[in-house]
């Protein structure tokens, strides 16, 4: 049983007390609200400060790492340029030795055969497109100058083929066929065939034949070059890096 | 429990709610965003800092690679002057032609073609000699410390009576200038 129910106090006093209680509770709510907001604010500021302190502590190593990254990038670019240089020089340094081509054909020459003309040619294969890259499209080629040159040279080499035209005379055609068959044994020769045989007779009545033969030289594979360069020549398969 | 608030408390309640909303909008969210941004920055920096060792290893690796490539390319002379280089090369070919025993040497450098970094110079060489002499000369040209590609070799008898042959060789000399090698 409360005093309100008994109502001994005068009405004016009761209302005053009621108003006082209400003000106290309002004040309490305000205090709680302000305290809550302050607590949240302080917590957030403390969290921000803590994170900022950690960030500040990382500034020096971060700066060091950024410099290292720049150094890595600079070195990477330098290595790339040097590698282009090395690849280009390596490619230019190792052409297919044409003196060996002549050796392979003329060294085992039988006495019955006389070569009257020999022509080693590196010629464009049929269907090969020898247009410069700038002519194919309007867009200028992208990349390091040495990389572009190497690509152009590799493309040119891929579209070329070494062949040998041999003209001569023989007084024994069977010997000529044996000779051509023996050429197939040579490692660098892909095929050797007679183009024409023209029989003639000397004034003393002995017979001889003029002949023309066509020899195809195998494409060269520079394995060590491919190992070095293969990674940067995605278009050139390992069976095509040739000159 | 029946919670009955007096009518006079409504504006106060609304004001309180307003203060909370203002606090959330103007203080809580911006600070939360700042904390999140600082966290992101911290994580980014931590992840970068954690790469220090691998970056140091990369620097070392690339240094070694650079040394290896430089060691590989140092065998080739750099070419400070293309014309001087060409003259030197033709001079050496001429000497080798004499040593090989060939006669009537003719050297005709053609028009220089400029690639992106490389200059290519076509050269026609004419001479006469025996098969062995010419073969020797071709081998010597190929073994010169220059970048030379033989494109065509044509051998034909000088005359029916003589053993000597005339030889026409077409080759291309490639020059990588110093300015283009770095």
């Amino acid at each position: 049983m409360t005093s309100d129910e008994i109502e001994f106090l005068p009405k004016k006093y009761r209302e005053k007390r009621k108003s006082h209680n209400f003000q106290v509770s309002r004040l309490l709510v305000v205090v709680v609200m302000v305290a809550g907001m302050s607590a949240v604010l302080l917590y957030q500021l403390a969290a921000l400060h803590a994170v900022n302190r950690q960030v500040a502590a990382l500034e020096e190593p971060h700066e060091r790492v950024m410099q290292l990254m720049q150094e890595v990038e600079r070195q990477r670019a330098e290595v790339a340029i040097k590698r282009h240089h090395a690849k280009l020089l390596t490619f230019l340094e190792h052409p297919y030795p044409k003196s060996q081509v002549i050796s392979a054909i003329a060294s085992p020459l039988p006495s019955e055969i006389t070569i009257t003309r020999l022509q080693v040619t590196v010629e464009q294969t049929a269907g090969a497109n020898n247009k410069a890259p700038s002519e194919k499209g309007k867009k200028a080629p992208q990349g390091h100058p040495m990389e572009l040159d190497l690509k152009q040279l590799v493309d040119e080499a891929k579209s070329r083929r070494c062949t040998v035209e041999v003209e001569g005379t023989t007084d024994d055609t069977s010997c000529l066929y044996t000779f051509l068959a023996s050429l197939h044994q040579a490692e660098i020769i892909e095929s050797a065939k007679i183009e024409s045989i023209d029989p003639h007779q000397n004034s003393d009545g002995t017979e001889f034949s003029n002949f023309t033969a066509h020899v195809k030289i195998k494409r060269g594979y520079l394995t060590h070059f491919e190992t070095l360069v293969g990674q940067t020549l995605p278009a050139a398969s390992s069976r095509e890096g040739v000159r | 429990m029946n919670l009955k608030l007096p009518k006079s408390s409504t504006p106060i309640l609304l004001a309180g709610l307003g203060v909370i909303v203002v606090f959330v909008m103007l203080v809580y969210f911006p600070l939360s965003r700042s904390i999140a941004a600082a966290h992101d920055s911290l994580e980014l920096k931590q992840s970068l800092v954690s790469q220090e060792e691998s970056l140091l290893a990369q620097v070392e690796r690339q240094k070694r690679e650079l040394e290896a490539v430089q060691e590989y390319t140092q065998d080739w002379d750099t070419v400070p002057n293309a014309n001087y280089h060409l003259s030197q090369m033709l001079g050496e070919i001429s000497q080798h032609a004499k040593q090989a025993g060939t006669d009537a040497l003719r050297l005709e450098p053609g028009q220089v073609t400029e690639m992106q970094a490389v200059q290519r110079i076509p050269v026609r060489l004419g001479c006469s000699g025996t098969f062995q002499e010419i073969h020797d000369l071709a081998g010597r040209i190929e073994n010169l410390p220059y970048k030379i590609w033989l494109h065509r070799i044509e051998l034909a008898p000088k005359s029916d009576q003589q053993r000597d042959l005339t030889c026409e060789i077409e080759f291309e000399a490639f020059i990588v200038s110093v300015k283009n090698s770095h």
Side-chain angles (χ1 to χ4, degrees), chain A:
Chain A
M1 190 176 285
T2 66
S3 56
D4 286 343
E5 287 167 341
I6 297 167
E7 292 185 358
F8 286 126
L9 295 168
K11 192 180 177 184
K12 190 181 167 188
Y13 181 78
R14 283 204 308 272
E15 280 173 1
K16 194 179 171 187
R17 201 168 71 167
K18 203 174 176 181
S19 164
H20 174 73
N21 284 346
F22 183 61
Q23 277 177 354
V24 168
S25 60
R26 263 195 318 197
L27 193 66
L28 263 174
V29 167
V30 169
V31 167
V32 166
M33 213 168 70
V34 169
M37 286 192 296
S38 301
V40 169
L41 180 64
L42 282 174
Y43 173 77
Q44 282 190 308
L45 287 174
L48 185 60
H49 180 67
V51 176
N52 279 339
R53 258 179 44 196
Q54 289 181 58
V55 171
L58 284 177
E59 274 306 320
E60 198 188 316
H62 178 254
E63 190 60 33
R64 210 164 50 230
V65 167
M66 291 309 282
Q67 281 175 359
L68 270 176
M69 285 173 99
Q70 283 174 359
E71 175 69 9
V72 167
E73 277 308 307
R74 191 190 61 74
Q75 277 190 347
R76 190 172 291 159
E78 196 178 349
V79 167
I81 290 170
K82 294 282 179 192
R83 279 176 72 90
H84 291 318
H85 187 205
K87 286 170 198 162
L88 181 64
L89 291 176
T90 308
F91 188 74
L92 291 173
E93 190 70 11
H94 296 93
Y96 208 110
K98 306 298 179 303
S99 53
Q100 285 185 26
V101 173
I102 299 173
S103 286
I105 291 165
S107 288
L109 197 65
S111 56
E112 294 86 350
I113 299 169
T114 307
I115 292 177
T116 55
R117 185 176 156 273
L118 187 143
Q119 182 175 319
V120 182
T121 319
V122 181
E123 60 191 12
Q124 197 83 13
T125 51
N129 191 350
N130 197 32
K131 273 187 185 174
S134 55
E135 290 173 332
K136 285 179 182 172
K138 286 176 184 172
K139 201 178 171 186
Q142 299 287 312
H144 190 271
M146 291 193 190
E147 188 185 9
L148 297 173
D149 282 354
L150 177 62
K151 192 177 179 309
Q152 189 184 334
L153 288 168
V154 169
D155 287 345
E156 280 180 25
K158 278 197 286 185
S159 66
R160 286 179 176 172
R161 188 79 200 244
C162 183
T163 56
V164 185
E165 289 287 333
V166 184
E167 288 175 18
T169 57
T170 180
D171 49 13
D172 184 354
T173 48
S174 65
C175 189
L176 177 64
Y177 286 111
T178 312
F179 167 64
L180 287 175
S182 74
L183 286 183
H184 283 96
Q185 307 295 320
E187 215 170 301
I188 62 167
I189 291 173
E190 186 179 296
S191 68
K193 62 175 183 179
I194 297 282
E195 293 282 307
S196 65
I197 296 184
D198 190 12
H200 289 274
Q201 204 165 28
N202 275 327
S203 50
D204 59 1
T206 54
E207 286 187 348
F208 72 97
S209 301
N210 288 333
F211 71 88
T212 309
H214 185 85
V215 181
K216 267 188 187 173
I217 304 300
K218 277 182 189 168
R219 289 178 177 279
Y221 308 111
L222 300 168
T223 49
H224 64 289
F225 177 77
E226 283 301 320
T227 313
L228 280 167
V229 179
Q231 292 169 345
T232 55
L233 298 171
S237 78
S238 59
R239 305 285 295 168
E240 290 180 323
V242 294
R243 277 169 285 172

Side-chain angles (χ1 to χ4, degrees), chain B residues 8-43:
Chain B
S8 61
S9 67
T10 309
I12 295 163
L13 203 68
L14 287 174
L17 277 172
V19 168
I20 289 172
V21 169
V22 167
F23 174 78
V24 168
M25 298 301 287
L26 297 183
V27 179
Y28 181 79
F29 281 153
L31 267 175
S32 294
R33 278 197 291 271
S34 297
I35 292 168
H39 263 295
D40 289 347
S41 166
L42 180 67
E43 278 174 21

